[in-house]
């Protein structure tokens, strides 16, 4: 339905009553510059859907006052806006004036403007139009009244005939040259110039007064001239009038000029009064005469002269007020002085004011029944009177209305307005200086309600915030809104929910339970909108910055950990110090922002303060604060004083230094002995940080100097200044030396030693040691005594290993120390005399024995018995394993026991071995003679792992294993046991093959799965059981095939071929046949290419030629292609035989044969002939495989020596050297993947023992990796001793 408006106008003023039609509303334009409206007013929002509202008239251009100097100046105009367009009328001096009926005037009237001007060509008829004019603009909604405009007429100023003026003056006298401008209503501007139109130079001596005259404070002969011309300028009429030149003749003085006191030239007298209106300009003038030229100063007698509101001009002769105010009223004094005296003039300035507004009523829309209050307040000097009119008619001329009243302050109140109250109200303020008027529109209107807020808005807030759901409505009268949530009508019962006056719903302290759909409805209508409320988690600071205590120059790091709702964008992290924002500095590196961290570098005193981390999202903000406190080591104490001296004690006091924000924890008191050579400082005592003195214990016979150091959490202060010296008297020693003992080493000698006493314990001069000794048995109570100044003290010719009582006493000039307690010491030891007897050995198992012996006589030890040593030597194996010489001694192991032990269990022996054993006694001097050797044999044991295990794959389902026997059989091998299984995710059953023949070193397994990998475990066997395994992993090799997906890269003279070689496939050989299509030649073929190469370069091609390539395998073509080489084609030129292929091939073959012969000769010379076992052992070997002479017992057989004397051919009995294999035809065994078991990574092959490894394979072949074997031949490097 269309929006409607209803209004009734014409019950006030000159308007008549009628009904307005229903029109769409576009907008309402109100008077600008008005103060804030009253609460009852209506403001039509810009988004209210209605157009073409009636508008009351508003004067947009006021008629202006004018002074008419010519007929062209006679124009009076007025402009106003309104809807419908306003109608204009005029009054002159309070009477109706219709310029359209006057034949001397012409009217220009357009929509919104009205102007009239004269059609007369002379000024005389215009004098009748002088007066005060007011413009009235009216339409249906009221009448607007303009300000009063005054029209005056005047004639342009003109010069009268003047006589030429000549003035004479004596040098030093004062002169005034008068201008006398013609009278006019216009303010003239005066310019004094010469005949060349150059301005007369003004100065403190020569200046122009406000009256236009030229004043000379005193004249000089240079002022004589006959062209002083006054030019009068009138800006309004754009006229300049030039007066007659004035001649000035200055008579020079024949005598010395007399100085003159200052005298006022303008104004005269001592006091003047000025009246000014607020907002106008005022100039006070003070022109003086005198010799020398006086200086002028200004002051305000009743207050401070404002420098900002006043300007001094004309060389301080004028004081100008621009925009003068009431505060500028008062007394001002001008003072002129020179060397002869001074003169003053006082001005009394009175400032009054024409009326001006302090509060203007605002034009508003109102709904029927509301109360209108129009506040109109003005000020002025004297105070203005306030009067009201309605549509230009004074209230006194309108019938009284009981609803209308006026307040004492001038406000108009109209209650219970209706449509007939629509009008324009004029408020007028008047005093003797003028009248001001303002128009105020009161528009009573009814508008249908509308909801201006969009439907379906979503409001997102965080927990704890205040949510405001908008429901902006407009209408006249004001609509009432209702809110509902999810069909619940009781939401306003919740104390957190409030309905605001603008219709919005406010929810305080929002929680997640407030989420949902809300509906706003206008009461008694079907108008409604909905709003969705979404509540997110509030932003929180989980870990705020900490309070940091930082030393100057260090770096401080603040960390701010926070949590933001995942639906929000990453927040802005703003850091502040004491409320001020921090910005990252890329030049000074002062502040660095790294994620949640703020790094403050080179902390100084300016960095102290509270640091705040602000986590800012688009919805909320959280913050946390920490601080930086600058701490440092304390300053040292001062003013050290020694007081209260006592026996061996004094009191030291001090004054604490600055703590630097870190309390002192303790004080360290240090001393230096001035009598000591070093005079170094040492700590004496420590006291708590709240103490300022300490009682210090002292030693006798010392010269003390003290100092104090403060300690806080940061560190130690510098030491304080040292105290004065304090000396203590000498006394006898307080104690004797400690740790008195015998350090006798040599036989027949007693060495008495002790810890030398500190010099501070001497307690007096002439300090020495008193040494006393006597035998424990046989010498009686007699003590032998001697003196010495330092340890040790040696007594000779005293016998071997005898017991003595010894003691040492401190002695000085004052007396002896306390009586010392004796200690027992012995003279020097000698080696034991006898060996243990009846040594016995009991075999516990193949690797352990128990050794027993009786204790020896202590007298034969000739010293302190420290224990026994068991010497155990392995002589070799019981058999003749692998040809090593039997009974060859190996390293000897020595086992020590305690002094009271008579048996020992020794573990870690080698099985199947011969040993010799002997026992000795030892003391600190050495070992005695060995016991009779005891021989024994260990039992047979389980063998060690085979030394190597190699694999080759002759077919896709076969695997041949090659191995060498164990390095440590630990007995007689009786065979091997092989276990193997597939490597799969689930448990695979273990397959077992037993080899009964110990000489077998290879085995072929068939019917293996070609797609699987296997793990093999091989163990040796003796009568004692199965040994440790050697473990390997591997898989069979698949049949080879020529490559597929060959890539070509063509150059000028070659083509590069590349392909991906297949894993676990045998190598196959193929050839490339190529034909040059350009030359018409024959097919050529390449050498055989190995499929495992993955790359081949075919060379010798002709640039810029087309080639056909054919790839063959077993005389079958498996791929063909065409290529074109790069470059420009060339014609083949016949050359000599030296460049032919057959010649180059022949020469290459000869060179290759010669090289092979040289290599064979070198090998025969370096390896041929027989060499001894010793040479074999000492020959070059792998550093990891070389036997260590001090760890193993080697045995060699004659068979091994014969075998090593004549090495077999490299390719004997080896399939790898067959012709088929060399041709890469895929019939031979190829590399098998091997993975060494991690448990055997530390084992290596030993070529000097066991059967020969698989021949024909290079050392680097994957089928023949370095095999790991124990490096100690079964004998441990150390022997574990079990008691």
């Amino acid at each position: 339905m269309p929006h409607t408006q209803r209004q009734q106008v014409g019950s006030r003023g000159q308007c008549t009553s009628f009904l307005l039609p229903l029109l769409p509303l576009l907008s309402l334009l109100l008077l600008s510059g008005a103060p804030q409206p009253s609460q009852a007013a209506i403001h039509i929002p810009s988004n209210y859907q209605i157009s073409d509202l009636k508008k009351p008239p508003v004067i947009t251009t006021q008629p202006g006052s004018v002074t008419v100097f010519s007929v062209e100046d006679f124009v009076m105009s007025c402009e106003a806006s309104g809807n419908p367009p306003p109608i204009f009328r005029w009054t002159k001096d309070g009477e109706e004036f219709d310029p359209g009926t006057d034949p001397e005037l012409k009217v220009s009237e357009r929509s919104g403007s009205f102007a009239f001007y004269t059609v007369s060509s002379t000024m005389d008829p215009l004098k009748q139009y002088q007066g005060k004019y007011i413009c009235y603009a009216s339409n249906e909604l009221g009448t607007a009244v303009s300000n009063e405009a005054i029209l005056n007429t005047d004639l342009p100023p003109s010069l009268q005939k003047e006589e030429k003026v000549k003035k004479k003056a004596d040098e030093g006298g004062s002169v005034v040259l008068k201008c006398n401008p013609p009278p006019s209503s216009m303010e003239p501007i005066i310019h004094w110039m010469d005949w060349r139109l150059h301005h007369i130079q003004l100065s403190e001596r020569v200046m122009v007064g406000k009256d236009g005259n030229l004043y000379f404070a005193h004249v000089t002969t240079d002022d004589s001239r006959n062209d002083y011309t006054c030019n009068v300028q009138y800006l309004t009429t754009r006229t300049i009038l030039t007066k007659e030149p004035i001649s000035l003749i200055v008579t020079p003085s024949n005598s010395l000029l007399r100085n003159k006191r200052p005298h006022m030239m303008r104004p005269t007298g001592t006091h003047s009064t000025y009246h000014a209106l607020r907002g106008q300009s005022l100039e006070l003038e003070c022109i003086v005469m005198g010799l020398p030229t006086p200086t002028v100063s200004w002051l305000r007698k009743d207050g401070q002269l404002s420098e900002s509101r006043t300007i001094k001009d004309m060389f301080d002769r004028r004081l100008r007020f621009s925009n003068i105010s009431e505060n500028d009223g008062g007394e001002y004094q001008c003072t002129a002085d020179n060397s002869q005296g001074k003169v003053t003039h006082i001005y009394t300035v009175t400032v009054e004011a024409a009326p001006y507004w302090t509060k203007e009523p605002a034009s508003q829309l109102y709904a029927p029944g509301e109360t209108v209050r129009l506040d109109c307040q003005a000020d002025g000097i004297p105070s203005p009177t306030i009067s009201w009119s309605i549509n230009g008619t004074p209230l006194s001329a309108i019938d009284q209305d009981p609803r209308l009243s006026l307040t004492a302050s001038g406000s108009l109140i109209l209650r219970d307005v209706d449509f007939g109250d629509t009008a324009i109200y004029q408020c007028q303020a008047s005093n003797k200086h003028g009248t001001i008027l303002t128009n105020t529109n009161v528009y009573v209107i009814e508008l249908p309600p509308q909801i201006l807020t969009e439907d379906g808005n979503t409001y997102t807030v965080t927990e704890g915030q205040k949510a405001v759901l908008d429901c902006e409505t407009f209408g006249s009268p004001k609509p009432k809104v209702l809110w509902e949530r999810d069909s619940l009508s009781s939401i306003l019962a919740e104390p957190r929910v409030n309905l605001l006056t603008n219709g919005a719903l406010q929810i305080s302290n929002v929680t997640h339970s407030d989420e949902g759909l809300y509906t706003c409805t206008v009461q008694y209508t079907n108008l409604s909108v909905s709003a969705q409320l979404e509540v997110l988690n509030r932003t929180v600071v989980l870990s705020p910055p900490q309070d940091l205590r930082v030393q100057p120059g260090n770096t401080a790091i603040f960390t701010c950990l926070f949590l933001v709702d995942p639906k929000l964008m990453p927040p802005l992290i703003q850091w502040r110090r004491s409320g001020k924002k921090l910005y990252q500095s890329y030049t000074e590196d002062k502040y660095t922002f790294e994620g949640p961290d703020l790094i403050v570098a080179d902390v100084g005193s300016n960095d102290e303060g509270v640091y705040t981390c602000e986590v800012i999202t688009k919805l909320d903000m959280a913050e946390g604060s920490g601080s930086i406190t600058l701490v440092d080591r304390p300053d040292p104490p001062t003013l050290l004083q020694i007081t209260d001296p006592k026996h061996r004690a004094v009191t030291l006091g001090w004054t604490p230094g600055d703590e630097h924000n870190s309390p002192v924890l303790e004080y360290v008191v240090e001393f230096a002995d001035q009598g000591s050579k070093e005079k170094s400082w040492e700590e004496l005592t420590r006291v708590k940080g709240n103490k300022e003195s300490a009682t210090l214990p002292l030693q006798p016979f010392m010269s003390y100097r003290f100092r104090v150091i403060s300690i806080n959490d940061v560190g130690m202060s510098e030491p304080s200044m040292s105290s004065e010296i304090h000396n203590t008297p000498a006394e006898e020693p307080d104690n004797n030396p400690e740790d008195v003992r015998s350090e006798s080493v040599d036989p027949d000698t007693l060495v008495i030693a002790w810890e030398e006493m500190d010099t501070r314990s001497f307690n007096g001069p002439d300090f020495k040691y008193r040494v006393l000794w006597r035998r424990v048995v046989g010498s009686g109570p007699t003590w032998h005594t001697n003196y010495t100044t330092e340890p040790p003290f040696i007594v000779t010719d005293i016998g071997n290993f005898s017991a003595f009582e010894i003691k040492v006493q401190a002695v000085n000039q004052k007396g002896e120390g306390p009586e010392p307690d004796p200690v027992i010491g012995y003279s020097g030891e000698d080696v034991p005399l006898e060996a243990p007897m009846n040594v016995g050995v009991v075999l516990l198992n193949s690797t352990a024995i128990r050794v027993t012996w009786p204790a020896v006589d202590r007298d034969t030890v000739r010293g302190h018995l420290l224990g026994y040593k068991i010497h155990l030597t392995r002589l070799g194996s019981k058999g003749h394993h692998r040809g090593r010489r039997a009974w060859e001694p190996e390293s000897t192991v020595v086992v020590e026991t305690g002094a009271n032990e008579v048996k020992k269990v020794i573990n870690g022996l080698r099985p199947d071995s011969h040993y010799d054993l002997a026992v000795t006694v030892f003391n600190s001097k050495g070992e005695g003679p060995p016991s009779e050797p005891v021989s024994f044999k260990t039992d047979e044991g389980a063998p060690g792992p085979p030394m190597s295990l190699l694999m080759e794959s002759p077919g896709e389902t076969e695997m041949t294993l090659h191995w060498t026997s164990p390095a440590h059989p630990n007995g007689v091998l009786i065979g091997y046991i092989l276990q193997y299984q597939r490597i799969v995710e689930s448990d695979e059953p273990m397959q077992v093959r037993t080899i009964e023949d110990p000489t077998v070193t290879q085995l072929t397994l068939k019917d293996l799965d070609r797609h699987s990998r296997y793990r093999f475990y091989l163990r040796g066997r003796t009568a004692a059981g199965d040994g440790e395994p050697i473990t390997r992993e591997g898989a069979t090799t698949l049949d080879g095939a020529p490559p597929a997906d060959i890539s070509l890269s063509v150059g000028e003279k070659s083509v590069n071929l590349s392909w991906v070689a297949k894993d676990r496939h045998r190598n196959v050989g193929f050839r490339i046949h190529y034909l040059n299509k350009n030359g018409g030649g024959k097919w050529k073929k390449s050498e055989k290419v190995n499929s495992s190469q993955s790359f081949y370069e075919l060379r010798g091609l002709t640039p810029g030629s087309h080639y056909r390539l054919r790839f063959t395998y077993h005389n079958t073509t498996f791929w063909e292609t065409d290529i074109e080489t790069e470059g420009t084609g060339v014609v083949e030129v016949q050359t000599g035989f030296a460049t032919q292929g057959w010649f180059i091939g022949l020469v290459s073959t000869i060179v290759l044969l010669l090289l092979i012969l040289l290599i064979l000769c070198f090998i025969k010379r370096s390896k041929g002939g027989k060499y001894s076992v010793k040479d074999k052992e000492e020959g070059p070997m792998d550093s990891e495989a070389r036997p260590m002479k001090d760890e193993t017992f080697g045995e060699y057989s004659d068979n091994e020596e014969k075998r090593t004397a004549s090495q077999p051919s490299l390719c004997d009995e080896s399939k790898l050297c067959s012709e088929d294999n060399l041709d890469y035809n895929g019939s031979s065994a190829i590399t098998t993947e091997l993975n060494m078991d991690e448990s055997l990574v530390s084992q290596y092959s030993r070529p000097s023992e066991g059967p020969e490894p698989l021949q024909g394979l290079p050392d680097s072949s994957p089928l023949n990796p370095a095999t790991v074997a124990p490096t100690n031949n079964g004998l441990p490097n150390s022997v574990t001793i079990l008691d």
Side-chain angles (χ1 to χ4, degrees), residues 887-905:
W887 309 107
E888 181 178 345
E890 297 182 358
S891 61
T892 298
V893 176
V894 178
V895 180
E896 291 187 4
T897 72
N900 297 321
E901 291 185 84
V902 292
K903 61 181 178 179
K904 193 70 173 179
V905 174

Side-chain angles (χ1 to χ4, degrees), residues 214 337 1054 1102 1221:
L214 186 64
D337 65 81
S1054 64
T1102 303
N1221 182 62

Side-chain angles (χ1 to χ4, degrees), residues 884-937:
R884 290 190 177 182
R885 295 188 296 272
W887 309 107
E888 181 178 345
E890 297 182 358
S891 61
T892 298
V893 176
V894 178
V895 180
E896 291 187 4
T897 72
N900 297 321
E901 291 185 84
V902 292
K903 61 181 178 179
K904 193 70 173 179
V905 174
I906 302 176
N907 291 306
L909 304 184
R910 287 272 297 276
D912 193 40
S913 299
H914 290 271
Y915 284 93
D916 275 352
L917 182 146
V919 181
T920 63
V921 180
F922 71 98
N923 59 17
S924 60
K925 201 66 176 176
E927 291 185 65
S931 65
E932 289 293 331
V934 178
S935 298
F936 64 92
K937 303 175 184 177

Side-chain angles (χ1 to χ4, degrees), residues 1025-1185:
D1026 298 339
E1028 299 177 11
I1030 184 173
T1031 304
R1032 293 289 185 273
E1033 291 182 5
T1036 59
T1037 305
L1038 305 180
D1039 290 337
D1045 298 329
I1046 301 175
S1047 300
L1048 304 178
S1049 177
V1050 182
E1052 287 190 0
K1053 298 182 180 181
S1054 64
V1055 57
N1056 294 329
L1057 301 93
S1058 60
W1059 59 91
V1060 178
K1062 298 179 180 180
D1063 294 339
R1064 290 184 55 207
H1065 282 251
R1066 303 178 191 279
N1067 294 327
V1068 298
F1070 64 93
R1071 294 183 185 274
I1072 304 165
H1073 300 259
Y1074 53 99
L1075 173 66
N1076 188 340
K1077 293 184 177 182
N1078 296 359
K1082 297 182 180 180
W1083 283 90
K1084 300 179 181 179
K1085 66 179 178 179
S1086 71
E1087 60 186 331
K1088 272 199 175 184
V1089 181
N1090 188 354
S1091 64
S1092 64
Q1093 292 179 210
S1094 300
F1095 177 82
Y1096 183 75
E1097 182 181 12
L1098 181 63
R1099 301 180 181 177
L1101 306 184
T1102 303
S1105 301
H1106 289 80
Y1107 280 90
R1108 180 69 176 176
L1109 303 184
R1110 181 179 297 163
F1111 296 79
T1112 62
Y1113 168 64
H1114 282 180
N1115 296 326
T1116 301
T1117 301
F1118 63 89
W1119 189 52
E1120 287 186 88
T1121 187
D1122 291 326
I1123 64 170
E1124 181 178 0
T1125 56
E1126 297 177 354
T1128 304
V1130 296
V1131 179
E1132 184 177 355
V1133 179
Q1134 295 294 330
T1135 59
F1137 72 92
T1139 60
Q1140 297 298 314
W1142 64 267
F1143 180 76
I1144 295 173
L1146 177 61
V1147 173
S1148 299
T1149 302
I1150 295 173
V1151 171
L1152 181 61
L1153 290 175
L1154 290 173
L1155 181 61
I1156 292 173
L1157 287 175
L1158 289 173
I1159 292 172
L1160 291 176
C1161 291
F1162 177 76
I1163 292 173
K1164 183 173 182 62
R1165 183 172 182 179
S1166 61
K1167 285 192 174 184
K1170 294 184 180 181
Y1171 50 89
S1172 65
V1173 174
K1174 177 177 179 60
D1175 294 334
K1176 178 180 178 180
E1177 289 179 347
E1178 296 179 354
M1181 299 179 68
D1182 189 303
S1183 62
E1184 294 293 337

